[in-house]
Amino acid sequence: MSDTAAPEPLVSVVIPVYNAEKYLRETLDCVCNQTLRNIEIICVDDGSTDSSQDILQEYAARDPRFRILHQQNQYAGVARNNGMAAARGKYLSFLDADDLFEPDMLEKMSARAEETGAEMVCCDVDCFTDNQQRLHPMYRLVHELAPRVPEVFCPAEALGKRLFQHFNPAPWNKLFLASFAREGGRGWLDTQYSNDLSFVLHCLFSCRRMALIDAALVHYRERSNSISHARRRDTAVFFRAWGDLRARLVQDNAKDEIMLSFANVFLGHLEWFLGSLAIDSKEKLLQEYEERYDRQGFHILELPDEQFEDPAKRDRMRGLFQPQLSVVVPFEKDPAAAERILRSSCSPDYCGYELVYCCPAPDAAYGEMLGRCARHCPQLRVFRGTETDARGFCRAPRIGVLPHGCKLAPNAGPALDRLCRQAEGTVDLAPLCVRQSRRELFLRYRADRKSWCLFGRPFLTVMYSAGSREFWLFGHRVAFFG
C-alpha cells in the first residue's frame, strides 16, 4: 500500500486527549502504523496541562494525516463531538488516548463495512494493565453472537429483548458509517464519564445493517486511577446518561421488548455502579433517588419477575432503594470483628433490607474496611453516630437492632421476609429469636397479633412505626420467658 495520505480519507480516527503523556506515543504509533493508510487522525486536545500538546504537534509535523484540534477542558464527549464534526472520512473510529488497535484493525473493519454496506461493524476486545502487558479477554460478545446471526443484520429486529445485553456501550471496538452516526443530530454527552453510553447504544438500536468480526482487534488499558474507575463520582451523571438513552428510545417509539432489554441492562449497570462507589457517594445517590429521581427510571423496580433475566438482581436493587427493613448494627471497636459481623450479616437469600452500621468517627483504616464491606454488600450504609440516633437515618418503615456482637445467621433471610410480611401494620414490636436447643429461627405471637413474646436468646428486634408514638431503641418493654 502507498504511504501517501488520500485527499478523502476512508476512515477518520477521533482521539480525545487529556493529560495522556504517559501513554500517548504508544497509542499514536498504533494508529500511524495501521495497514490501512488512507485515514485521517483527528486528535482533540481537551485542555491538557502536561506535555500532551507537544507530543501531538510532534506527530502532526511528521505525518500529514494528523489534524490537531484544541478546546478548553470539557471532557471526552465534547471532544468527540468536535472531532466528529471536523471528520472528512466515510467511516468514523473512536479511540481513547491510552488504548491500542491491532495493526490491521482499521483495514479489516472498513473492508467488512465496504463489503456488506454495514452502518456499524463491531469486533471483540482484549485488555491489559500497566504492570502486566499480557492480554486477556475482556469482551467476547461478538464471538458468542456471530454464529447466531446472518452476515449482515438489524440488531433490534434480530436480538429484540436481548439487544443491549449483546454489546458493550464503549465506542472503540465499533466502526460507524459517518452519515449514520450523524443522523438526527446524534451526539455525545458533555459529562465527565458515561458520555458515550447513550450515543453508542442508541446507534445500536437505530442500526439497520450491522456486521461483525470475530476477533479481538482492540486492546483496552485498565488503569486504577482513571476517571472511569474513580469511586467518588458525581452520581447525577449516571442517571443523566441512562435517562438520555431512555428518552431517545421513547422518542423513537421503541418496542416493549427493546425497553425490556434497556431495563435489564440498566439494572446490571446500576448494581455495578453502586459497588464501585465510595460510601459517601452512595449516600448522595440514595438522597438523589429520594429527592430527584423517584419514579424516574426506577419504574423498573416495580416490573414483575418475568420481565427480568435475573429477578434476584432486581430484588437487591429494590432492597437498597426501597428497603422494607433497616437492620441497625452497633459500633464495634475492633475493625476485624466489625468486618466479620458486617460481611456475615449480608444475607444472600433476603434482599428487602438495608444494613445500617453505626460508626461515629472512622479513621482511615476503619474507612478502608467499610469500603470493602460496601463492595461486598450493596445494602450497607454507614451512619456517623450511635444507634440511639439512627432512626432518622434509616429509610425503611421497620427498624431492627442487632444486639452488640451479634450477626445475622446465614439462613435468616426467609424468617426476616416472613416477619415483615406477616406483621405489616399490626404490631409495634416484633422480637425475632433463636431457639438455643436446635438453633432454629422461629416466631411466637399471641392470637390477637398485638403482643409478641421472646423465647430463647435475643436475635433481632424489629420496630414498626405506630402513628406519632415515640421511638425507643429497644421499643416497649418485652416479657422474656423460659
Side-chain angles (χ1 to χ4, degrees):
M1 294 184 182
S2 171
D3 287 343
T4 303
E8 294 295 333
L10 182 62
V11 179
S12 296
V13 183
V14 178
I15 307 175
V17 178
Y18 177 72
N19 289 352
E21 61 181 5
K22 182 177 180 180
Y23 312 103
L24 186 55
R25 293 181 184 276
E26 186 178 9
T27 296
L28 297 181
D29 286 340
C30 89
V31 181
C32 291
N33 297 328
Q34 286 288 303
T35 56
L36 178 68
R37 309 300 296 176
N38 185 18
I39 64 175
E40 67 173 354
I41 306 165
I42 302 176
C43 298
V44 186
D45 175 47
D46 186 31
S48 296
T49 57
D50 64 358
S51 64
S52 294
Q53 295 187 49
D54 296 334
I55 296 173
L56 294 178
Q57 294 301 330
E58 173 191 329
Y59 275 77
R62 67 176 188 233
D63 191 332
R65 298 176 300 172
F66 274 86
R67 298 172 62 192
I68 311 301
L69 306 180
H70 298 277
Q71 65 180 42
Q72 294 180 344
N73 182 227
Q74 300 174 75
Y75 309 125
V78 175
R80 291 181 178 127
N81 282 330
N82 290 334
M84 188 167 69
R88 298 179 295 122
K90 182 178 179 180
Y91 300 100
L92 294 173
S93 174
F94 298 92
L95 180 64
D96 288 344
D98 55 351
D99 298 331
L100 304 173
F101 284 159
E102 278 288 300
D104 57 355
M105 185 270 192
L106 294 178
E107 182 175 14
K108 287 184 175 180
M109 297 281 275
S110 61
R112 181 61 58 88
E114 292 284 90
E115 294 166 0
T116 60
E119 296 169 321
M120 290 179 65
V121 181
C122 184
C123 67
D124 274 326
V125 183
D126 281 330
C127 65
F128 64 99
T129 58
D130 290 342
N131 58 3
Q132 187 176 12
Q133 292 289 326
R134 183 177 62 85
L135 298 172
H136 53 282
M138 181 178 184
Y139 295 120
R140 287 295 181 266
L141 304 175
V142 169
H143 179 73
E144 299 171 1
L145 181 61
R148 299 160 45 191
V149 296
E151 182 181 17
V152 184
F153 63 101
C154 173
E157 293 180 0
L159 304 177
K161 66 180 181 180
R162 288 195 53 79
L163 169 65
F164 299 121
Q165 290 91 319
H166 281 296
F167 296 91
N168 65 302
W172 15 260
N173 68 327
K174 301 169 182 71
L175 186 75
F176 302 85
L177 181 67
S179 58
F180 163 72
R182 298 186 178 110
E183 279 183 2
R186 188 184 287 125
W188 312 74
L189 295 182
D190 59 354
T191 53
Q192 188 175 14
Y193 63 92
S194 296
N195 52 73
D196 51 1
L197 187 145
S198 62
F199 176 89
V200 173
L201 294 186
H202 186 253
C203 282
L204 179 65
F205 162 74
S206 305
C207 181
R208 297 168 291 268
R209 294 178 63 82
M210 169 173 277
L212 305 174
I213 294 182
D214 186 4
L217 303 178
V218 178
H219 306 313
Y220 173 79
R221 188 190 304 269
E222 291 183 330
R223 292 194 291 133
S224 59
N225 63 340
S226 67
I227 287 178
S228 61
H229 289 84
R231 297 187 63 234
R232 297 183 182 276
R233 300 169 173 165
D234 181 355
T235 55
V237 171
F238 177 85
F239 295 105
R240 181 183 171 190
W242 285 97
D244 185 77
L245 174 59
R246 183 173 183 271
R248 295 187 191 195
L249 295 176
V250 171
Q251 183 178 4
D252 290 347
N253 299 313
K255 296 179 180 178
D256 289 345
E257 61 181 8
I258 301 299
M259 300 308 295
L260 181 59
S261 178
F262 166 84
N264 278 283
V265 169
F266 170 68
L267 197 64
H269 278 256
L270 178 62
E271 185 173 45
W272 166 83
F273 183 73
L274 291 170
S276 72
L277 289 177
I279 289 177
D280 55 349
S281 296
K282 184 190 295 185
E283 286 303 317
K284 186 173 184 292
L285 183 150
L286 295 176
Q287 182 180 2
E288 289 171 346
Y289 163 71
E290 294 177 347
E291 295 180 357
R292 299 170 54 190
Y293 296 103
D294 193 18
R295 305 300 176 190
Q296 297 180 22
F298 289 93
H299 65 285
I300 65 171
L301 299 178
E302 308 302 333
L303 296 178
D305 287 354
E306 60 269 17
Q307 301 286 315
F308 293 95
E309 297 174 345
D310 184 1
K313 183 179 295 185
R314 186 277 316 273
D315 291 341
R316 287 193 295 273
M317 292 301 97
R318 180 186 288 177
L320 179 63
F321 288 99
Q322 302 170 357
Q324 298 302 305
L325 171 65
S326 295
V327 178
V328 177
V329 183
F331 176 68
E332 177 65 53
K333 291 184 178 180
D334 180 9
E339 184 167 9
R340 287 194 299 271
I341 291 172
L342 293 176
R343 292 177 71 94
S344 298
S345 296
C346 298
S347 174
D349 52 4
Y350 178 55
C351 304
Y353 73 103
E354 63 176 6
L355 199 64
V356 176
Y357 183 60
C358 299
C359 186
D363 56 21
Y366 214 105
E368 183 178 344
M369 178 276 292
L370 292 175
R372 290 195 303 270
C373 292
R375 290 190 290 276
H376 174 75
C377 176
Q379 280 82 10
L380 176 63
R381 301 173 65 214
V382 177
F383 174 61
R384 312 295 186 184
T386 64
E387 59 266 30
T388 56
D389 301 317
R391 181 191 181 190
F393 185 77
C394 295
R395 295 180 300 117
R398 309 164 186 85
I399 302 174
V401 181
L402 280 178
H404 192 275
C406 293
K407 60 187 180 183
L408 290 177
N411 60 345
L416 293 175
D417 183 50
R418 186 168 61 251
L419 178 66
C420 288
R421 291 177 183 273
Q422 291 180 344
E424 184 173 2
T426 61
V427 298
D428 299 321
L429 178 66
L432 179 63
C433 334
V434 173
R435 188 195 300 269
Q436 291 183 335
S437 59
R438 299 179 59 189
R439 308 295 292 177
E440 293 179 352
L441 296 172
F442 76 102
L443 300 173
R444 176 72 175 267
Y445 55 90
R446 295 178 181 173
D448 61 3
R449 294 175 58 86
K450 298 294 182 181
S451 301
W452 292 63
C453 300
L454 178 65
F455 292 78
R457 175 169 170 259
F459 182 74
L460 174 69
T461 303
V462 181
M463 313 294 182
Y464 290 83
S465 302
S468 59
R469 183 171 297 173
E470 288 292 323
F471 172 79
W472 298 349
L473 180 61
F474 289 99
H476 305 285
R477 292 183 62 85
V478 182
F480 286 79
F481 299 87

